[in-house]
Amino acid sequence: MDADVLALIRRSVPRLSAAEGRVAETILGDPTLVVDLAINDLAKLCRTSLSTVARFAQSLGFSGYRELRVAVARAVTLAQAQQARFSLDNTAIDQDDEPSVVAAKIAAQEIDAIEKTALGLDGPTLDRVARAVVAARHIDILGQAASSLTAQDLQQKLVRIGCSASHSPDPHLALTTASLRTKDDVVIAVSHGGETAETVCAFEVARDAGALAVAITSVNDSTLALAADVVLLTHASESPFRMAAMSSRIAQLALVDILFVRVVQHRGEPVAIPLQLTRDAALGRPVPGR
């Protein structure tokens, strides 16, 4: 949770009361305030009560304000370190930024997404998915638009080590193949916001058919996540200049790489041979014995 507490607060705003909303907006407006303010000082600043601040912290999953304060402090420290690394005052892209500044800000945002995703991963959950993939008869990988690129990347990786895995960007084909899954199969759905209707629909069909349903998303209470048996969370905040998925895609690809390595480790057998065979085939070299 510490890895992306500010994003968690941002997502919570629509469901908060007016008083709790003031607490959230104050923290998001200047997270450094929380580092220095005691609970009674923050309550006065937000024109609310101590109990409201405590209730706000607990609604996010923290035991109380002290734990929330520590998490925000860590997030602030990480953000400041990231900005200092690239000599930036902030990482928000402005209309008038020069090319070198745009490059530095994009790099900072994407490094931040990878770090937060890696730090936020739950090891036992990751290994549950890796073991299921190793044991699966077949793995369906779902994703639309930018998330389709991540789905294709995972499918390509798994196929190259001999796993039976498929991905179709056609939502109707994805839906029909999902209906054929059984308890021996795994379905993995990729969606940054977790609300892509075509992905959610095929995901639920495969889950209802018996497949272990794994969601890769950044929103833990999204429709996709709530429909899943297992959730692997990414952490990425897109720029206001988001013309395409950027940080979210990088976070997804990092998570897929981590999952793939764990799959290889859990297989307990060499993958050099299938990797070499697929490489030779792609290069047009003769396949031994054929």
Side-chain angles (χ1 to χ4, degrees):
M1 186 179 292
D2 290 1
D4 207 11
V5 63
L6 298 180
L8 176 64
I9 294 173
R10 195 173 295 112
R11 292 196 300 269
S12 75
V13 171
R15 60 178 172 78
L16 298 175
S17 67
E20 291 172 344
R22 290 197 298 273
V23 178
E25 294 299 340
T26 299
I27 294 173
L28 292 173
D30 186 1
T32 59
L33 284 174
V34 180
V35 178
D36 300 321
L37 292 180
I39 186 171
N40 57 324
D41 296 321
L42 180 61
K44 289 179 182 177
L45 184 64
C46 299
R47 306 184 311 282
T48 189
S49 65
L50 301 183
S51 60
T52 297
V53 176
R55 188 165 57 248
F56 166 74
Q58 290 165 358
S59 74
L60 298 176
F62 296 98
S63 60
Y65 176 68
R66 179 176 296 179
E67 189 178 4
L68 170 62
R69 186 180 180 185
V70 170
V72 173
R74 288 174 179 163
V76 168
T77 300
L78 181 60
Q80 290 173 340
Q82 204 66 269
Q83 292 168 19
R85 182 185 304 179
F86 291 93
S87 302
L88 298 170
D89 293 329
N90 64 79
T91 58
I93 298 173
D94 297 321
Q95 179 68 45
D96 299 325
D97 282 343
E98 295 295 325
S100 60
V101 176
V102 171
K105 287 182 175 180
I106 291 293
Q109 290 173 7
E110 296 193 348
I111 290 171
D112 184 60
I114 292 171
E115 287 184 343
K116 286 179 177 176
T117 296
L119 291 172
L121 269 179
D122 179 73
T125 301
L126 178 72
D127 277 351
R128 179 186 175 189
V129 177
R131 290 191 183 96
V133 168
V134 169
R137 180 190 62 137
H138 184 80
I139 306 104
D140 268 336
I141 309 167
L142 308 173
Q144 294 294 314
S147 292
S148 177
L149 301 176
T150 304
Q152 290 177 52
D153 183 68
L154 179 56
Q155 188 261 348
Q156 179 189 32
K157 284 179 166 65
L158 292 176
V159 166
R160 289 202 63 194
I161 61 170
C163 294
S164 175
S166 61
H167 164 69
S168 174
D170 182 327
H172 294 116
L173 183 55
L175 190 61
T176 54
T177 57
S179 68
L180 301 176
R181 295 303 145 230
T182 72
K183 62 180 178 58
D184 298 320
D185 303 317
V186 171
V187 59
I188 300 175
V190 186
S191 174
H192 174 55
E195 299 296 340
T196 304
E198 296 87 350
T199 299
V200 172
C201 183
F203 187 66
E204 291 177 335
V205 167
R207 179 205 61 196
D208 292 345
L212 178 73
V214 180
I216 296 177
T217 182
S218 69
V219 184
N220 202 28
D221 58 354
S222 62
T223 302
L224 183 70
L226 294 175
D229 297 311
V230 189
V231 179
L232 295 175
L233 284 174
T234 57
H235 298 272
S237 299
E238 291 291 4
S239 163
F241 274 70
R242 184 182 188 267
M243 292 154 281
M246 292 184 285
S247 296
S248 60
R249 186 191 69 247
I250 294 297
Q252 289 172 354
L253 290 171
L255 192 153
V256 160
D257 284 345
I258 296 166
L259 173 60
F260 176 69
V261 169
R262 292 303 288 164
V263 168
V264 170
Q265 290 176 321
H266 283 300
R267 278 174 68 103
E269 60 186 57
V271 295
I273 293 176
L275 286 174
Q276 187 63 48
L277 287 172
T278 54
R279 182 173 183 273
D280 288 347
L283 292 174
R285 295 173 181 169
V287 178
R290 298 181 186 176

